[in-house]
Amino acid sequence: MSTAAAPVRQLDAHSVGELRRAAEKLLAEFGTSATSPALLARVAETAGGLGETLRGHCRPVDTADGLFVLRGLDVDDEAIGATPSSWATAGDSGAIHDIALLLLATVMGNPIAWEGQQNGRFVHNIVPSPGHESEQTGASSTVLLSPHTEDAFHPGRAHLLMLGCMRNHDAVATTAASIRLTRLADEDVDLLTRPALPILPDDAYDEAQGYADQAPPAVPALFATEEGLTLRFDPAYTPLDRADDAYRSAYGRLSAELARVSVAVSLTPGDILVVDNDLVVHGRVPFRARYDGTDRWLKRASVRTAGRRTRPGAEADEHGYGQSALEAHAS
């Protein structure tokens, strides 16, 4: 795994101040970051009035890395309080940063939430939680969080994933690997662009795991576009034992190539990692949680962008395991 630096977009002091004042005004008006139709409407209005310099920093991912770090926001380690023990106890912890992230997400596209995850909030808290150490979810810690496409099981998954760092005293690295940096044989690409296996819902979606109305749809791991390959990848929830030897071998070579080009991004407070979810798989290295209020704490937002042609049209026919995505702003 490479420790090469991710592309950085450094925010200037004026843009940082503009964003913070906008977030403070919204928090003062609504008193919470728990989203409501009224708050979302004001977020859209406020985001539309943000300056061109700040908006320029939020332009689409524009390198084969498939990601960038937005840097320069202020996070006061004392003022944010202790790292929550789980998302369920987080409430309005770091509410000002929830709203700032939601504003940036709105500039980039249309934020989404899931009815079946974190009570339908549009900004999630990602913290290690007791009893979940070995799961393949954001609440884990002691295991490698395998590289994956965010919400790969669902056709309505985000186009962009935003991870905002609140606290990371131990420099725990997020891993990221772009399909555009890999080298794959034509034969492997041909196999992996065929819909061979389903991707099942992960452990964060209890209701989806019990969905039994229809059989899981087979989906391709790769998709060829005019701009290059995109991917839909989650080996921890892909039943590879159902595939033939040729497919498993090709999938293994894809995994190896993603590991070869993977970079370790150690976020610092105020950093926001923006990942193109159609180009990049992300994960996290193992760490030992202390559960003393000082553990790693990220904020997560998911964003859809209009007009993307990075996914097969057949995805429109998938059932999504009964899960519904909520859009922050009307299309």
Side-chain angles (χ1 to χ4, degrees), residues 21-104:
R21 288 190 297 273
E24 288 173 341
K25 185 176 180 181
L26 288 170
L27 185 58
E29 180 178 350
F30 291 94
T32 179
S33 62
T35 43
S36 63
L39 173 58
L40 292 174
R42 290 283 287 117
V43 164
E45 177 186 346
T46 302
L50 293 173
E52 288 303 314
T53 300
L54 180 55
R55 299 179 71 83
H57 287 301
C58 296
R59 66 190 183 276
V61 173
D62 53 10
T63 70
D65 302 276
L67 55 82
F68 63 86
V69 174
L70 196 62
R71 178 162 291 163
L73 298 179
D74 298 320
V75 175
D76 185 321
D77 190 70
E78 183 175 348
I80 62 174
T83 299
S85 60
S86 74
W87 71 263
T89 63
D92 277 334
S93 299
I96 189 71
H97 300 284
D98 291 344
I99 295 176
L101 193 61
L102 191 55
L103 284 166
L104 291 171

Side-chain angles (χ1 to χ4, degrees), residues 55 67 78 103 117 137 148 153 162 182 199 225 227 239 247 259 261-262 266-267 272 285 299:
R55 299 179 71 83
L67 55 82
E78 183 175 348
L103 284 166
Q117 193 178 35
T137 69
H148 63 282
F153 74 95
M162 304 174 69
T182 61
I199 300 177
T225 75
E227 291 78 26
Y247 188 90
V261 303
S262 181
S266 184
L267 298 173
I272 299 175
V285 301
K299 297 280 189 179

